[in-house]
Amino acid sequence: MANPSGTGTIWNLPNYAGDLFTADSTNAPILSAIGGLTGGVQTENFEFPTDSQYSLPEATQPEITEIASLTAPEAEEIERGQNTNVTQIFHEKVSISYVKESNRGRMSGLNTAGQQNNVQSTEKDWQIARKLEKISRDIEYTIINGKYQKSTSPSVANKTRGLLALCAGEGGTTIAAGSKQLTKSNMQALFKAMYDAGALFSNLIIWVNSFQKQIITDIYAYAPTDRNVAGTNIKQIETDFGNVGISLNRFMPQDTVLAAEMSVMAPVFQPVPQKGNFFYEELAKAGASEEGQIFGQFGLDHGPAFMHGSITGLTTK
């Protein structure tokens, strides 16, 4: 169904009876796992550090004679570097006419005696709650699929880097499946590559959508001990490098597997002074309606790229 734009009226926002449902996902599992809209850290700069790294020389066996030890070796310092991400704006508006708010009893659709408006609160409060759901959905999508862009002028938007772009970038780990089906060999290759790159496997979660979740269950399934119960649902894999959780996420591309180290991730918020972050405020009156806006700035602190990994380009047939 197409959502109306502009101010909500009795004509474009009719009232109905019956329980309210949506087929759209209202869950944001990664955002919830790292602190939600109320956890995380705060920044006063739209650009913030995600990690600072250094590299040691390749390990070798020294061969130093007694004579050589009488003279100090040449100095060699360890250089540090820094990686960053940015916060980006999430902005929604709510506008409800006075006439709409005063016609809660006018019902559309099937008219049956005793029916009640399925919005128990005011229309404005209900719309605000739905806009917060939309923001959470947009943030969850961005955490996974966000493409990085750093603002260089008022007309260029900041866009926070998501996990899949991080895995595909410098220092990340990604395996191109070449439009083939996910296999145990793919999974083992991913885990090995991540371990070799330096991943901790401290709280590693595999995030997948419905198709790859069923494939993973088929790959790792074993016969249950209770012969009166059929079926399997693999939620954790024990690997050579540590235990790995398996979680569903509707915002994951169906052709992709994402391995995210949750222990190094955090949401970053950039509050407006005296207002906070993701706040609702009334807008100036221009007529017989209530208008307000929700404003917030969010960025993903994803930690070092080598902590995460992905398999992309899997078949979904």
Side-chain angles (χ1 to χ4, degrees), residues 44-70:
E44 293 183 337
N45 183 345
F46 70 73
E47 188 174 16
F48 57 89
T50 59
D51 61 282
S52 182
Q53 297 185 32
Y54 64 90
S55 296
L56 296 173
E58 186 176 350
T60 62
Q61 180 181 10
E63 186 178 354
I64 304 170
T65 66
E66 180 181 2
I67 295 299
S69 71
L70 298 177

mmCIF file of all heavy atoms in Angstrom, residues 44-70:
data_model
loop_
_atom_site.group_PDB
_atom_site.id
_atom_site.type_symbol
_atom_site.label_atom_id
_atom_site.label_comp_id
_atom_site.label_asym_id
_atom_site.label_seq_id
_atom_site.Cartn_x
_atom_site.Cartn_y
_atom_site.Cartn_z
ATOM 1 N N GLU A 44 30.993 14.776 19.325
ATOM 2 C CA GLU A 44 30.714 16.163 18.953
ATOM 3 C C GLU A 44 31.360 16.509 17.617
ATOM 4 O O GLU A 44 31.514 17.681 17.275
ATOM 5 C CB GLU A 44 31.218 17.112 20.053
ATOM 6 C CG GLU A 44 30.442 16.983 21.360
ATOM 7 C CD GLU A 44 30.898 17.957 22.418
ATOM 8 O OE1 GLU A 44 32.060 18.419 22.329
ATOM 9 O OE2 GLU A 44 30.100 18.272 23.309
ATOM 10 N N ASN A 45 31.746 15.482 16.886
ATOM 11 C CA ASN A 45 32.350 15.641 15.564
ATOM 12 C C ASN A 45 31.741 14.580 14.668
ATOM 13 O O ASN A 45 31.711 13.406 15.037
ATOM 14 C CB ASN A 45 33.868 15.459 15.661
ATOM 15 C CG ASN A 45 34.589 15.686 14.344
ATOM 16 O OD1 ASN A 45 33.975 15.723 13.277
ATOM 17 N ND2 ASN A 45 35.905 15.818 14.394
ATOM 18 N N PHE A 46 31.222 14.972 13.487
ATOM 19 C CA PHE A 46 30.558 13.966 12.649
ATOM 20 C C PHE A 46 31.507 12.858 12.202
ATOM 21 O O PHE A 46 31.064 11.773 11.867
ATOM 22 C CB PHE A 46 29.857 14.609 11.441
ATOM 23 C CG PHE A 46 30.757 15.168 10.367
ATOM 24 C CD1 PHE A 46 31.451 14.331 9.508
ATOM 25 C CD2 PHE A 46 30.888 16.539 10.192
ATOM 26 C CE1 PHE A 46 32.260 14.842 8.498
ATOM 27 C CE2 PHE A 46 31.687 17.057 9.188
ATOM 28 C CZ PHE A 46 32.381 16.213 8.347
ATOM 29 N N GLU A 47 32.812 13.111 12.219
ATOM 30 C CA GLU A 47 33.788 12.065 11.913
ATOM 31 C C GLU A 47 34.393 11.564 13.216
ATOM 32 O O GLU A 47 34.800 12.358 14.064
ATOM 33 C CB GLU A 47 34.881 12.595 10.993
ATOM 34 C CG GLU A 47 35.827 11.512 10.485
ATOM 35 C CD GLU A 47 36.822 12.028 9.467
ATOM 36 O OE1 GLU A 47 36.990 13.264 9.370
ATOM 37 O OE2 GLU A 47 37.414 11.202 8.759
ATOM 38 N N PHE A 48 34.434 10.256 13.379
ATOM 39 C CA PHE A 48 34.930 9.686 14.630
ATOM 40 C C PHE A 48 35.815 8.473 14.330
ATOM 41 O O PHE A 48 35.670 7.824 13.295
ATOM 42 C CB PHE A 48 33.762 9.260 15.534
ATOM 43 C CG PHE A 48 32.828 8.271 14.897
ATOM 44 C CD1 PHE A 48 33.040 6.904 15.001
ATOM 45 C CD2 PHE A 48 31.714 8.710 14.176
ATOM 46 C CE1 PHE A 48 32.180 5.997 14.409
ATOM 47 C CE2 PHE A 48 30.851 7.804 13.568
ATOM 48 C CZ PHE A 48 31.088 6.440 13.694
ATOM 49 N N PRO A 49 36.766 8.161 15.216
ATOM 50 C CA PRO A 49 37.653 7.020 14.973
ATOM 51 C C PRO A 49 36.951 5.695 15.253
ATOM 52 O O PRO A 49 36.187 5.571 16.207
ATOM 53 C CB PRO A 49 38.805 7.246 15.953
ATOM 54 C CG PRO A 49 38.183 8.017 17.067
ATOM 55 C CD PRO A 49 37.133 8.895 16.441
ATOM 56 N N THR A 50 37.209 4.723 14.399
ATOM 57 C CA THR A 50 36.705 3.368 14.635
ATOM 58 C C THR A 50 37.795 2.454 15.173
ATOM 59 O O THR A 50 37.504 1.490 15.877
ATOM 60 C CB THR A 50 36.151 2.756 13.329
ATOM 61 O OG1 THR A 50 37.201 2.735 12.345
ATOM 62 C CG2 THR A 50 34.989 3.586 12.792
ATOM 63 N N ASP A 51 39.043 2.748 14.840
ATOM 64 C CA ASP A 51 40.160 1.956 15.353
ATOM 65 C C ASP A 51 41.459 2.649 14.987
ATOM 66 O O ASP A 51 41.512 3.452 14.052
ATOM 67 C CB ASP A 51 40.145 0.527 14.791
ATOM 68 C CG ASP A 51 40.262 0.488 13.285
ATOM 69 O OD1 ASP A 51 39.243 0.744 12.600
ATOM 70 O OD2 ASP A 51 41.360 0.212 12.789
ATOM 71 N N SER A 52 42.486 2.351 15.736
ATOM 72 C CA SER A 52 43.841 2.799 15.439
ATOM 73 C C SER A 52 44.721 1.558 15.444
ATOM 74 O O SER A 52 44.748 0.822 16.434
ATOM 75 C CB SER A 52 44.332 3.815 16.478
ATOM 76 O OG SER A 52 45.627 4.282 16.167
ATOM 77 N N GLN A 53 45.419 1.308 14.349
ATOM 78 C CA GLN A 53 46.145 0.052 14.191
ATOM 79 C C GLN A 53 47.635 0.282 14.036
ATOM 80 O O GLN A 53 48.088 1.350 13.630
ATOM 81 C CB GLN A 53 45.631 -0.710 12.967
ATOM 82 C CG GLN A 53 44.179 -1.135 13.059
ATOM 83 C CD GLN A 53 43.772 -1.981 11.869
ATOM 84 O OE1 GLN A 53 44.567 -2.726 11.292
ATOM 85 N NE2 GLN A 53 42.501 -1.883 11.485
ATOM 86 N N TYR A 54 48.410 -0.743 14.377
ATOM 87 C CA TYR A 54 49.837 -0.767 14.106
ATOM 88 C C TYR A 54 50.204 -2.168 13.630
ATOM 89 O O TYR A 54 49.482 -3.136 13.875
ATOM 90 C CB TYR A 54 50.653 -0.390 15.350
ATOM 91 C CG TYR A 54 50.521 -1.351 16.506
ATOM 92 C CD1 TYR A 54 51.388 -2.442 16.642
ATOM 93 C CD2 TYR A 54 49.530 -1.185 17.471
ATOM 94 C CE1 TYR A 54 51.273 -3.332 17.702
ATOM 95 C CE2 TYR A 54 49.409 -2.063 18.535
ATOM 96 C CZ TYR A 54 50.290 -3.132 18.651
ATOM 97 O OH TYR A 54 50.167 -4.015 19.700
ATOM 98 N N SER A 55 51.304 -2.267 12.935
ATOM 99 C CA SER A 55 51.776 -3.561 12.442
ATOM 100 C C SER A 55 53.203 -3.794 12.922
ATOM 101 O O SER A 55 54.037 -2.885 12.886
ATOM 102 C CB SER A 55 51.746 -3.598 10.911
ATOM 103 O OG SER A 55 50.420 -3.480 10.431
ATOM 104 N N LEU A 56 53.459 -5.018 13.367
ATOM 105 C CA LEU A 56 54.799 -5.404 13.785
ATOM 106 C C LEU A 56 55.544 -6.031 12.609
ATOM 107 O O LEU A 56 54.914 -6.593 11.712
ATOM 108 C CB LEU A 56 54.726 -6.404 14.948
ATOM 109 C CG LEU A 56 54.119 -5.871 16.248
ATOM 110 C CD1 LEU A 56 53.945 -7.012 17.240
ATOM 111 C CD2 LEU A 56 54.983 -4.772 16.854
ATOM 112 N N PRO A 57 56.873 -5.951 12.603
ATOM 113 C CA PRO A 57 57.627 -6.630 11.545
ATOM 114 C C PRO A 57 57.360 -8.135 11.581
ATOM 115 O O PRO A 57 56.957 -8.689 12.607
ATOM 116 C CB PRO A 57 59.084 -6.320 11.896
ATOM 117 C CG PRO A 57 59.035 -5.136 12.798
ATOM 118 C CD PRO A 57 57.751 -5.231 13.547
ATOM 119 N N GLU A 58 57.587 -8.786 10.465
ATOM 120 C CA GLU A 58 57.394 -10.229 10.400
ATOM 121 C C GLU A 58 58.282 -10.924 11.426
ATOM 122 O O GLU A 58 59.452 -10.558 11.617
ATOM 123 C CB GLU A 58 57.726 -10.737 9.000
ATOM 124 C CG GLU A 58 57.428 -12.206 8.795
ATOM 125 C CD GLU A 58 57.687 -12.656 7.374
ATOM 126 O OE1 GLU A 58 57.907 -11.783 6.506
ATOM 127 O OE2 GLU A 58 57.654 -13.880 7.133
ATOM 128 N N ALA A 59 57.714 -11.902 12.114
ATOM 129 C CA ALA A 59 58.468 -12.603 13.163
ATOM 130 C C ALA A 59 59.636 -13.373 12.544
ATOM 131 O O ALA A 59 59.477 -14.074 11.533
ATOM 132 C CB ALA A 59 57.556 -13.553 13.922
ATOM 133 N N THR A 60 60.818 -13.240 13.142
ATOM 134 C CA THR A 60 62.017 -13.937 12.678
ATOM 135 C C THR A 60 62.816 -14.427 13.873
ATOM 136 O O THR A 60 62.567 -14.019 15.014
ATOM 137 C CB THR A 60 62.915 -13.012 11.835
ATOM 138 O OG1 THR A 60 63.339 -11.911 12.662
ATOM 139 C CG2 THR A 60 62.187 -12.473 10.617
ATOM 140 N N GLN A 61 63.757 -15.292 13.625
ATOM 141 C CA GLN A 61 64.697 -15.707 14.667
ATOM 142 C C GLN A 61 65.955 -14.842 14.555
ATOM 143 O O GLN A 61 66.665 -14.890 13.559
ATOM 144 C CB GLN A 61 65.086 -17.181 14.523
ATOM 145 C CG GLN A 61 66.067 -17.648 15.599
ATOM 146 C CD GLN A 61 66.474 -19.097 15.428
ATOM 147 O OE1 GLN A 61 66.173 -19.718 14.415
ATOM 148 N NE2 GLN A 61 67.169 -19.638 16.419
ATOM 149 N N PRO A 62 66.241 -14.023 15.575
ATOM 150 C CA PRO A 62 67.437 -13.175 15.506
ATOM 151 C C PRO A 62 68.713 -14.021 15.475
ATOM 152 O O PRO A 62 68.770 -15.118 16.022
ATOM 153 C CB PRO A 62 67.355 -12.346 16.793
ATOM 154 C CG PRO A 62 65.932 -12.434 17.232
ATOM 155 C CD PRO A 62 65.459 -13.769 16.800
ATOM 156 N N GLU A 63 69.761 -13.488 14.825
ATOM 157 C CA GLU A 63 71.093 -14.102 14.811
ATOM 158 C C GLU A 63 72.105 -13.011 15.167
ATOM 159 O O GLU A 63 72.649 -12.326 14.295
ATOM 160 C CB GLU A 63 71.394 -14.709 13.441
ATOM 161 C CG GLU A 63 72.700 -15.483 13.406
ATOM 162 C CD GLU A 63 72.961 -16.127 12.058
ATOM 163 O OE1 GLU A 63 72.061 -16.059 11.197
ATOM 164 O OE2 GLU A 63 74.037 -16.693 11.866
ATOM 165 N N ILE A 64 72.324 -12.833 16.467
ATOM 166 C CA ILE A 64 73.138 -11.725 16.981
ATOM 167 C C ILE A 64 74.341 -12.308 17.718
ATOM 168 O O ILE A 64 74.186 -13.052 18.695
ATOM 169 C CB ILE A 64 72.310 -10.834 17.919
ATOM 170 C CG1 ILE A 64 71.058 -10.322 17.193
ATOM 171 C CG2 ILE A 64 73.146 -9.670 18.442
ATOM 172 C CD1 ILE A 64 70.058 -9.641 18.096
ATOM 173 N N THR A 65 75.524 -11.974 17.251
ATOM 174 C CA THR A 65 76.740 -12.457 17.911
ATOM 175 C C THR A 65 77.060 -11.602 19.127
ATOM 176 O O THR A 65 76.504 -10.510 19.322
ATOM 177 C CB THR A 65 77.933 -12.402 16.944
ATOM 178 O OG1 THR A 65 78.219 -11.016 16.646
ATOM 179 C CG2 THR A 65 77.632 -13.145 15.655
ATOM 180 N N GLU A 66 77.964 -12.119 19.949
ATOM 181 C CA GLU A 66 78.386 -11.358 21.127
ATOM 182 C C GLU A 66 79.024 -10.031 20.710
ATOM 183 O O GLU A 66 78.758 -8.989 21.309
ATOM 184 C CB GLU A 66 79.382 -12.178 21.950
ATOM 185 C CG GLU A 66 79.877 -11.456 23.201
ATOM 186 C CD GLU A 66 80.881 -12.280 23.983
ATOM 187 O OE1 GLU A 66 81.231 -13.386 23.544
ATOM 188 O OE2 GLU A 66 81.319 -11.784 25.035
ATOM 189 N N ILE A 67 79.836 -10.088 19.649
ATOM 190 C CA ILE A 67 80.483 -8.865 19.184
ATOM 191 C C ILE A 67 79.445 -7.867 18.703
ATOM 192 O O ILE A 67 79.501 -6.673 19.021
ATOM 193 C CB ILE A 67 81.482 -9.188 18.048
ATOM 194 C CG1 ILE A 67 82.624 -10.057 18.566
ATOM 195 C CG2 ILE A 67 82.037 -7.896 17.430
ATOM 196 C CD1 ILE A 67 83.447 -9.416 19.656
ATOM 197 N N ALA A 68 78.441 -8.377 17.948
ATOM 198 C CA ALA A 68 77.393 -7.484 17.439
ATOM 199 C C ALA A 68 76.583 -6.870 18.567
ATOM 200 O O ALA A 68 76.116 -5.724 18.472
ATOM 201 C CB ALA A 68 76.489 -8.238 16.477
ATOM 202 N N SER A 69 76.412 -7.591 19.661
ATOM 203 C CA SER A 69 75.606 -7.091 20.767
ATOM 204 C C SER A 69 76.266 -5.931 21.501
ATOM 205 O O SER A 69 75.621 -5.242 22.294
ATOM 206 C CB SER A 69 75.315 -8.222 21.761
ATOM 207 O OG SER A 69 76.489 -8.591 22.477
ATOM 208 N N LEU A 70 77.570 -5.720 21.245
ATOM 209 C CA LEU A 70 78.261 -4.601 21.897
ATOM 210 C C LEU A 70 77.854 -3.258 21.311
ATOM 211 O O LEU A 70 78.146 -2.211 21.887
ATOM 212 C CB LEU A 70 79.782 -4.796 21.771
ATOM 213 C CG LEU A 70 80.344 -6.063 22.440
ATOM 214 C CD1 LEU A 70 81.830 -6.175 22.191
ATOM 215 C CD2 LEU A 70 80.027 -6.075 23.930
#
